[in-house]
Amino acid sequence: MPLHFDASHFVGPKIQSLQTENLRLQEKVKELETKNALLNLRLANNQNETRNVREDIIRFKVLNEVQWRTRTRMSAQFQETKKRLCEIKSDLKNLESNVRYAFDGAQNLFDGHLQDLMLRFEKAQLKDGDLGELIGRVTELEDALQEANDNHIKEKKRRRKLHNTLIELRGNIRVHCRLRPLQNFDNRLDHFKEEFLERGDACGSPTNLGELGSPSEQVIHPIDDESVVVTQQKPGSTAKNFEFDHVFFPEDAQDVVFNEVLPLITSLLDGYNVCIMAYGQTGSGKTHTMLGNEKEPGVVPRSANELFKLIDEKAPGSVSVHVSVVEVYNNEIYDLLSENPKSTKHEITSTEEGGLDTTSTIQMQVHCSAEIEKWTAHGLRNRAMIATKVHEHSSRSHLVVTLTVTNHETTVSSPRKSSHEHSTMASPSLLSKKARRLPQPNLPTMTCKLANSQNSATCDDRDAIVTAGDSYKTKLQLVDLAGSECVGMSGVTGPALRETSCINRSLSALSDVLCALSEKRSHIPYRNSRLTRLLQDSVGGDAKLLLMLCVSPAQRYLVESMQCLNFGQRARQVQRGPPKKRGYSVMDSPTRPLSPRDSPLGGRKLRFQ
Ligand code: ADP
Ligand code: MG
C-alpha cells in the first residue's frame, strides 16, 4: 500500500523558506544594482578625469612646443643683440678715439689762436699809438658808412622824386596797389563752390577755389613797396610780378596809405585838379580805403582834414570849399545830396570853357572837415546798396565825392555880421535855395579855427568874410567805384543782374578809355558810359590822377585780382601830357577873360568845370 503522507506539512515551510530566500536574494540584487550604479558613476568620473588629463597633456605639449620655439627665437635674438652690442662697443671705441683726436686738434688750434692773440695783444699793447689809429680809422669808416647810408636814402628819395616828376611830365596815371589782409569771409566757400561747379562760368573755374570750407590761401604777396608777385596762377605755371608806383602791404594802416596821397592835396591848393579812384572787386577794400570807418578813417575824411589844415594857413576867406556827392547807378547820375535822389537824373554837358558840367547837382559850401564828413555820410545813406553773396553790403554804384576849391585871388573884404546862408554864393543862387530846402543832417555846431587869425571864428563868421575879384577853381574827385567782379561771381539775378551788368559795362568803358589813351588814339570813347563821361576831365584831361587798386590776396579771387592788376598795368601806360595848373598871376595870364562863374558873387551855383 502506497505510503500516503500529507505533503502540505513539508511544502508550506519550504515555500516560506524559499520566499524568504527570494526576498533576501532580491535585496541582494538591489544592493548589487546600487553598487553597480555607484561603480558606473565612479567609472564615468574616472573617464572624465582621464579625458581632462589627456586634454591637459595636449595643452602641455602645445605649451611646451611654444616655449621651445620662443626659447629658440629668443636665443637667436640674444645672439643677434650680443653681436650688435659688440659692434656698438667697437663703434663707441672708434668714436671715443675720434672725439679725442678732434678734441686734441681743437685744443691745439685753440692754443695756437690763444698764443697768436696773446702775441697780438702784447704787440698791440706795445703799439699804443697804432691802437688809437685803428680806433680813428674805425670811427672814420663808421662815419663814411653813415654818410653812404644817408646818401643812399637821399638818392632813393631823389630817385623817387625824379620818377614822380617824370610821371608828372609824361602825364602818367599814378597807380597804387593795396593788398588787404585776409578776412573771415574769405573762407566762406560753400555757396560759391556749388555755383561754380554748376555753371563753370567765365569768372573762374572751381579749381580757383580751395577745398570746401578750407581757408583760402594767400596767393598775392607784396615783394617791396613797388612790386607784388602772384603765385599759383595755374598748376605748373610760373609766378607773375607786377610793378606799381606804390604797393601797400596788408598790414599797412590807413595813415600809411594817406601819406602817399598827401602831396596831391597840396597840389589841389596849388591849382591842380586831382582825382583819386579806388578800383577792385567787391570786398577788396575800396570803401575801406576811400571812406574807412570811425576808428580808421579813409582817404575822403583824411583829405578833408588835410585840405582844411592847409586852408587854415591861408588868409581868411581866400579859399572856399563846396562838396557834392553823386553816384552813377545803372548808368544814370543821381545827386545824393538832394531830397529825393532817384527823382532826378542828371546830365553831363560841355561848357563854353571846354569843361564838363552836370546839371543841377547840389554843391554844399563847407567850412570844416567835419561838415564834409557829415554831407558825405548823408549822401552815403542814399547810396544804392544791395546784398550780394560776395560781400553783404556790396555797393552797386560808383560814388563820386567832389570837393570844389575856389581860390579868391584878391584881398579880404571887411567881415559882415553873421549870415545864415550856407553858401557864399549869394542868396539868389539855386544852390542856396536848394540847400535851405534840404533836410539838414545834424551838423555839429563847430568852430573852425583860422590858423593865422587871432580869434577863432565860427562857420557863420567865416561866411561873412567875403572876397571879391578873380578866382579859379580846382576840384578833388574822390571815387569809390562799384565792384569789378563779373556777373557770375556775385550770384545775382533779376534787377541786381542789371545793376551788375551796368557796372561791368561802365568799368569796361573805363578800361577802353584807358586803352585808347595809352595808344594815343584820336578818338577816346568817353561817351560810352556816364561814368567815363563824368570822369573825363580827370582821366583824360589834365588832372593829377591816382588809381588805387584794391586787391584781395586770397586764392579764391585770383581771376578777379589778376584782372584788377592787369587793369592797373594798362593804366600805367597812359601818358596824357603834364597836368595843367590852374590860377594865374598878372604876369602869366594878364588877359584872361573873366567868366561869370569865376566870381564868387556871380550868383551862380558851382558846377563841374
Ligand atoms: P569793397 O568796398 O571793395 O567792396 P570793403 O571796403 O567794404 O570792400 O571791404 C570789405 C571788408 O574788408 C570790410 O569788412 C573791410 O573792413 C575789410 N577790409 C578791407 N580792406 C581792409 C584793410 N586794409 N584792413 C582791414 N580790413 C579791411
Ligand atoms: Mg564798397
Side-chain angles (χ1 to χ4, degrees):
M1 165 175 132
L3 252 174
H4 185 79
F5 71 98
D6 190 1
S8 63
H9 292 288
F10 300 102
V11 174
K14 191 70 186 169
I15 288 171
Q16 217 170 6
S17 105
L18 280 172
Q19 276 177 337
T20 310
E21 184 65 17
N22 188 27
L23 275 174
R24 195 186 58 83
L25 284 173
Q26 273 180 1
E27 271 170 21
K28 188 82 180 166
V29 167
K30 269 184 195 162
E31 193 184 322
L32 284 173
E33 273 176 357
T34 311
K35 273 187 184 169
N36 189 34
L38 280 172
L39 281 173
N40 273 337
L41 197 66
R42 211 180 294 159
L43 182 68
N45 278 344
N46 283 345
Q47 279 176 342
N48 221 1
E49 261 175 43
T50 311
R51 203 177 311 120
N52 285 347
V53 168
R54 266 203 210 111
E55 278 173 9
D56 281 350
I57 289 169
I58 292 169
R59 215 173 298 130
F60 278 130
K61 270 185 183 169
V62 171
L63 258 174
N64 207 17
E65 176 82 14
V66 169
Q67 270 180 356
W68 182 80
R69 280 200 197 136
T70 311
R71 211 178 307 128
T72 316
R73 201 172 55 238
M74 281 181 72
S75 162
Q77 277 178 356
F78 177 70
Q79 290 305 326
E80 178 69 18
T81 313
K82 216 167 142 186
K83 202 173 137 202
R84 187 89 196 90
L85 202 66
C86 282
E87 282 170 10
I88 288 171
K89 269 185 187 166
S90 129
D91 283 355
L92 208 62
K93 259 187 198 161
N94 285 344
L95 203 68
E96 262 176 19
S97 75
N98 284 348
V99 166
R100 204 170 304 123
Y101 180 75
F103 183 77
D104 289 348
Q107 183 75 42
N108 289 341
L109 210 68
F110 177 75
D111 287 348
H113 278 308
L114 194 65
Q115 267 183 358
D116 193 32
L117 270 176
M118 279 171 72
L119 271 174
R120 280 198 210 176
F121 184 65
E122 275 167 20
K123 268 190 204 164
Q125 271 186 329
L126 284 175
K127 294 181 187 173
D128 218 6
D130 288 357
L131 191 69
E133 198 180 307
L134 267 176
I135 291 173
R137 280 205 60 196
V138 167
T139 318
E140 254 175 47
L141 278 172
E142 272 178 359
D143 287 350
L145 192 68
Q146 184 62 42
E147 203 180 316
N149 253 342
D150 290 350
N151 280 345
H152 174 67
I153 293 168
K154 264 190 220 156
E155 274 309 307
K156 215 174 149 186
K157 272 190 191 161
R158 224 165 65 90
R159 193 193 69 80
R160 181 158 272 186
K161 212 171 156 187
L162 280 174
H163 174 72
N164 284 345
T165 314
L166 186 70
I167 281 182
E168 205 161 303
L169 284 175
R170 290 196 309 208
N172 279 125
I173 295 172
R174 222 170 284 236
V175 182
H176 290 182
C177 171
R178 185 180 197 185
L179 298 179
R180 73 148 164 77
L182 289 177
Q183 301 289 310
N184 283 340
F185 61 80
D186 288 338
N187 300 344
R188 279 194 243 128
L189 297 176
D190 18 346
H191 214 104
F192 295 99
K193 187 124 182 172
E194 280 162 27
E195 198 171 298
F196 276 115
L197 284 170
E198 272 173 27
R199 302 164 58 132
D201 64 15
C203 289
S205 64
T207 50
N208 291 332
L209 310 172
E211 274 310 301
L212 199 68
S214 68
S216 193
E217 199 186 324
Q218 180 167 350
V219 291
I220 305 177
H221 307 269
I223 301 174
D224 54 33
D225 62 358
E226 285 180 353
S227 40
V228 290
V229 62
V230 183
T231 54
Q232 291 187 22
Q233 291 184 65
K234 274 176 208 153
S237 69
T238 51
K240 190 165 176 4
N241 281 20
F242 288 90
E243 290 211 340
F244 298 106
D245 297 297
H246 201 99
V247 168
F248 297 104
F249 285 43
E251 59 270 24
D252 282 343
Q254 302 278 61
D255 57 334
V256 178
V257 175
F258 186 67
N259 271 347
E260 295 298 316
V261 171
L262 203 67
L264 291 176
I265 310 301
T266 314
S267 293
L268 178 73
L269 274 183
D270 286 348
Y272 293 96
N273 282 335
V274 176
C275 176
I276 302 164
M277 189 160 36
Y279 181 96
Q281 73 167 131
T282 303
S284 61
K286 298 180 298 297
T287 306
H288 180 79
T289 300
M290 294 308 288
L291 300 164
N293 51 44
E294 218 172 302
K295 270 192 189 160
E296 302 165 287
V299 169
V300 174
R302 282 173 197 269
S303 299
N305 227 2
E306 185 60 28
L307 178 63
F308 275 98
K309 253 193 225 164
L310 293 173
I311 288 175
D312 280 353
E313 287 164 14
K314 293 187 173 257
S318 61
V319 178
S320 57
V321 182
H322 290 76
V323 62
S324 84
V325 185
V326 301
E327 71 169 353
V328 183
Y329 177 68
N330 281 356
N331 206 30
E332 298 292 353
I333 294 171
Y334 296 105
D335 184 353
L336 296 183
L337 293 188
S338 77
E339 268 173 281
N340 187 3
K342 294 275 147 55
S343 65
T344 321
K345 293 172 182 173
H346 298 265
E347 281 306 326
I348 308 160
T349 49
S350 303
T351 61
E352 282 170 17
E353 294 88 354
L356 289 175
D357 202 353
T358 51
T359 53
S360 61
T361 51
I362 292 174
Q363 312 274 318
M364 292 302 299
Q365 182 166 15
V366 285
H367 309 89
C368 314
S369 59
E371 278 187 288
I372 296 181
E373 282 179 48
K374 277 286 162 188
W375 285 120
T376 310
H378 176 74
L380 283 175
R381 282 196 286 275
N382 287 329
R383 195 180 181 192
M385 295 284 203
I386 184 167
T388 71
K389 289 166 191 171
V390 177
H391 179 47
E392 281 162 18
H393 300 288
S394 157
S395 308
R396 313 303 299 160
S397 64
H398 310 291
L399 177 80
V400 185
V401 177
T402 308
L403 303 182
T404 306
V405 177
T406 310
N407 284 273
H408 308 290
E409 292 267 295
T410 53
T411 50
V412 183
S413 65
S414 338
R416 277 189 272 139
K417 285 275 173 194
S418 88
S419 154
H420 296 290
E421 296 295 330
H422 280 277
S423 168
T424 57
M425 294 290 139
S427 51
S429 83
L430 240 174
L431 163 65
S432 308
K433 281 179 195 161
K434 282 223 172 190
R436 279 199 302 271
R437 276 194 278 117
L438 270 177
Q440 300 297 310
N442 297 335
L443 290 179
T445 46
M446 64 199 86
T447 53
C448 308
K449 288 240 176 198
L450 302 178
N452 46 5
S453 100
Q454 280 140 347
N455 313 317
S456 67
T458 63
C459 295
D460 283 348
D461 289 339
R462 176 76 87 86
D463 260 358
I465 303 167
V466 179
T467 64
D470 294 337
S471 63
Y472 64 90
K473 296 183 196 97
T474 51
K475 67 181 175 190
L476 169 64
Q477 279 185 320
L478 301 164
V479 190
D480 179 12
L481 292 170
S484 63
E485 67 278 356
C486 50
V487 179
M489 187 66 177
S490 316
V492 287
T493 50
L497 186 66
R498 176 168 144 68
E499 286 173 4
T500 315
S501 73
C502 277
I503 294 166
N504 289 345
R505 258 185 278 146
S506 56
L507 292 176
S508 302
L510 185 61
S511 180
D512 292 344
V513 162
L514 291 180
C515 210
L517 282 168
S518 65
E519 289 169 9
K520 294 196 180 346
R521 279 190 234 146
S522 55
H523 172 70
I524 313 292
Y526 293 113
R527 286 173 185 276
N528 284 358
S529 146
R530 286 218 166 76
L531 174 73
T532 44
R533 191 86 175 110
L534 185 64
L535 300 177
Q536 179 171 341
D537 277 356
S538 303
V539 176
D542 47 22
K544 292 193 178 186
L545 175 57
L546 168 65
L547 179 65
M548 181 72 76
L549 302 177
C550 294
V551 177
S552 325
Q555 186 186 18
R556 59 185 290 198
Y557 309 118
L558 190 61
V559 176
E560 287 302 324
S561 301
M562 283 298 289
Q563 185 273 332
C564 176
L565 294 169
N566 283 321
F567 179 85
Q569 286 295 300
R570 214 166 26 247
R572 282 193 93 199
Q573 313 300 316
V574 177
Q575 293 176 10
R576 308 161 299 161
K580 192 174 126 200
K581 189 171 176 171
R582 268 134 192 93
Y584 52 90
S585 66
V586 179
M587 294 284 287
D588 61 37
S589 184
T591 54
R592 183 178 180 271
L594 247 184
S595 92
R597 53 182 296 171
D598 283 330
S599 163
L601 298 173
R604 283 188 58 187
K605 185 166 129 334
L606 269 178
R607 284 158 188 228
F608 288 108
Q609 272 187 312

